Amino acid sequence: MPTFSYTQLFTFTERVFRRIGCPEADATLATETLLSADLRGIDSHGVARLMGYVRLWEAGRINATPRVGITYETPSTAVVDGDGGLGLVVGPKAMRIAIEKAQQVGSGWVSVKNSNHFGIAGYHAMLPLAHDMIGIAMTNASPLVAPTYSLDRLLGTNPIAVAVPAGEQPDFVADMATTTAANGKLEIAQRKGTPLPEGWAQTADGQPSTDANAVKNGGALLPLGGATGSHKGYALGSIVDIFSAVLSGANYGPWVPPFVAFLQPSANPVGQGLGHFFGAMRVDAFRPADEFKAHMDNWIATFRSAQAVEGKKVLIPGDPEREMAAHRLLDGIPLLDAVVKDLEGVGAKFGVKL
């Protein structure tokens, strides 16, 4: 599997975003947001998706020069209109608004409409950490998920991410889809030609399937929780959809526009674009930040030292991604041959060498 340095991929991706018309600052921000996924080992949401954003732009569904602005606000809340921009740009700008509000009144809550796919939720949730704040990020997504007992695809993978600052210990960062697996993992399985684990997907008639193309063939992804607990994942995904879209005025449920450009958005949308939800909470609005972080260190150390089953170790949310980022910054980022081929195609289109 070919390996590329972070710098090499950053330069290439930034140039592609510039070629589609993004201002320099937005191109840099979009690249940083996108490549955070590759660094953290979430390969399904990194440069493997660059072609997808380009195709959306070619289809006129992404505005490369959005005027991201607040349409409604109170001291602690806001609705942000992404003006059809890259979610990779709209998301960080909306989280900055949440951070600014938290700095003023203790917490900031921002719901976003008229945006697009924003990369990994964890990147956005981690932005408040530098300000001694807890960060929360959610987004709805293309409807590929069947609610419990349903054949209809009504929800997206709808991730939730929460980042909590610590002191001497690494920060706590939980970033997860509300499905058994994110759709990007199906895409990886398709590229590799490998079957899915049981419990990830169902066929068009509701039967369990390990076929990586099950969703493409009319099936659906399954909510987190599997055969006996999917109602919990269904509820979590519903919460994300409501906070991100019903609250902001974005499209929700089956009306969320698909990420792939070859599928058209609903002819009768109930809102604008897809939606996100961000929160930032100042730790010192609850207790002194140093005191809190010392206790977070103790919490993390306690869980990390828990007695583990043989051959395993107890992890803290964020451990695998943090270790992967350190490794890939030094040794490079491996890309599947199919992804490299896609990137070379994008490069040829815009005269940018990988």
Side-chain angles (χ1 to χ4, degrees), residues 182-255:
N183 183 53
K185 292 187 177 180
L186 268 69
E187 294 169 354
I188 291 173
Q190 290 161 13
R191 292 188 182 108
K192 290 183 175 180
T194 56
L196 304 179
E198 292 183 5
W200 282 24
Q202 68 181 26
T203 62
D205 59 356
Q207 298 303 307
S209 177
T210 59
D211 181 0
N213 293 299
V215 177
K216 278 187 174 181
N217 295 332
L221 288 170
L222 296 175
L224 183 67
T228 59
S230 68
H231 59 287
K232 298 178 181 179
Y234 168 33
L236 289 170
S238 300
I239 290 167
V240 172
D241 204 29
I242 293 165
F243 279 32
S244 299
V246 180
L247 201 56
S248 68
N251 288 293
Y252 48 82
W255 292 278

Side-chain angles (χ1 to χ4, degrees), residues 149-176:
Y149 304 136
S150 176
L151 297 179
D152 295 329
R153 306 193 305 198
L154 299 179
L155 290 171
T157 53
N158 294 10
I160 299 171
V162 178
V164 183
E168 299 299 321
Q169 292 283 350
D171 300 319
F172 175 105
V173 182
D175 183 2
M176 61 180 187

Side-chain angles (χ1 to χ4, degrees), residues 39-42 122 126 129 162-164 166 168-175 296-297 299-306 308 312-328:
L39 273 184
R40 294 175 68 78
I42 309 173
M126 292 170 67
L129 292 175
V162 178
V164 183
E168 299 299 321
Q169 292 283 350
D171 300 319
F172 175 105
V173 182
D175 183 2
M296 274 303 300
D297 283 348
W299 189 97
I300 291 169
T302 299
F303 279 73
R304 201 187 300 283
S305 62
K312 301 291 184 180
K313 65 177 181 178
V314 178
L315 299 174
I316 303 301
D319 278 352
E321 295 86 355
R322 174 179 51 81
E323 292 170 6
M324 182 65 75
H327 170 72
R328 287 187 168 185

Side-chain angles (χ1 to χ4, degrees), residues 36 52 59 62 73-74 92 100 102 150 153-154 242 259 266 273 276 280 298 306 317 325-326 330 341:
S36 69
I62 282 181
E73 67 179 323
T74 72
E100 289 167 3
S150 176
R153 306 193 305 198
L154 299 179
I242 293 165
F259 179 74
S266 170
H276 320 308
N298 186 46
L330 285 175
K341 184 177 179 181

Side-chain angles (χ1 to χ4, degrees), residues 25-42:
D26 283 2
T28 300
L29 179 57
T31 301
E32 179 181 308
T33 309
L34 186 65
L35 290 187
S36 69
D38 294 292
L39 273 184
R40 294 175 68 78
I42 309 173

